[in-house]
Amino acid sequence: LANDQRDVSDLCAGRYPDKDRLSQGQWQREGDWLFLADSQVSFLCHTDKTLSYGTHEILVGKIAQVKLHRQEVNPLIYS
């Protein structure tokens, strides 16, 4: 995500459980993939493995396609 997409990050993190996670940003579908077209970059992947760890599910993917959406590099960073 880009630095100006904190709202998308907050929605996907579940900070606003009453809001639809896809209500922010420019989501697009390509085949079976759903991706954020206004992010810095999108990695379209095939799921290779799923692992359970505590309360999380970790997905390991094999990259099928990379979509660069922005020329300027200004990532969202938490410190």
Side-chain angles (χ1 to χ4, degrees):
L1 294 174
N3 191 44
D4 61 353
Q5 293 179 301
R6 187 173 304 269
D7 54 347
V8 175
S9 175
D10 288 345
L11 276 175
C12 290
R15 289 195 173 88
Y16 305 104
D18 296 339
K19 284 190 167 186
D20 178 10
R21 288 184 180 190
L22 304 181
S23 66
Q24 295 288 326
Q26 297 175 11
W27 293 94
Q28 291 184 6
R29 185 169 296 282
E30 184 173 307
D32 292 335
W33 288 300
L34 182 66
F35 62 94
L36 191 58
D38 57 338
S39 64
Q40 296 257 315
V41 65
S42 296
F43 298 96
L44 307 185
C45 301
H46 297 287
T47 302
D48 188 50
K49 188 168 187 160
T50 304
L51 307 163
S52 294
Y53 186 83
T55 60
H56 291 74
E57 291 294 316
I58 301 166
L59 301 175
V60 178
K62 289 187 178 180
I63 297 173
Q65 188 175 354
V66 177
K67 292 183 172 285
L68 299 173
H69 305 293
R70 298 183 182 197
Q71 294 298 321
E72 178 186 345
V73 177
N74 188 16
L76 177 59
I77 297 174
Y78 289 93
S79 57

